[in-house]
Amino acid sequence: MDADLKRRLYAVLSVRELTLKDWFTAQARELLAEHEQPSLLPKGDRRDQERKP
């Protein structure tokens, strides 16, 4: 990674009080959520998940 880009990224993350790990994790989750197929069932009634006794 370019040193200037890295410096600027860390500066912005510092202002937002985020670590690189926190930011990356949030970005990864957002990207994956954009590509998940929406369920036709309500969240509490997903039959594809294990039912807990």
Side-chain angles (χ1 to χ4, degrees):
M1 177 185 282
D2 178 82
D4 184 55
L5 178 61
K6 185 175 180 179
R7 180 188 57 76
R8 291 170 46 211
L9 176 59
Y10 276 104
V12 170
L13 292 175
S14 178
V15 168
R16 294 183 178 189
E17 297 181 353
L18 291 171
T19 65
L20 183 61
K21 180 181 176 182
D22 293 338
W23 175 79
F24 180 85
T25 301
Q27 294 300 309
R29 287 183 181 177
E30 185 178 321
L31 180 66
L32 294 173
E34 290 174 4
H35 288 86
E36 287 180 355
Q37 183 175 1
S39 174
L40 297 176
L41 300 173
K43 280 188 175 185
D45 189 31
R46 291 191 178 164
R47 295 185 183 124
D48 59 333
Q49 294 179 354
E50 289 183 37
R51 299 262 183 204
K52 295 183 180 171

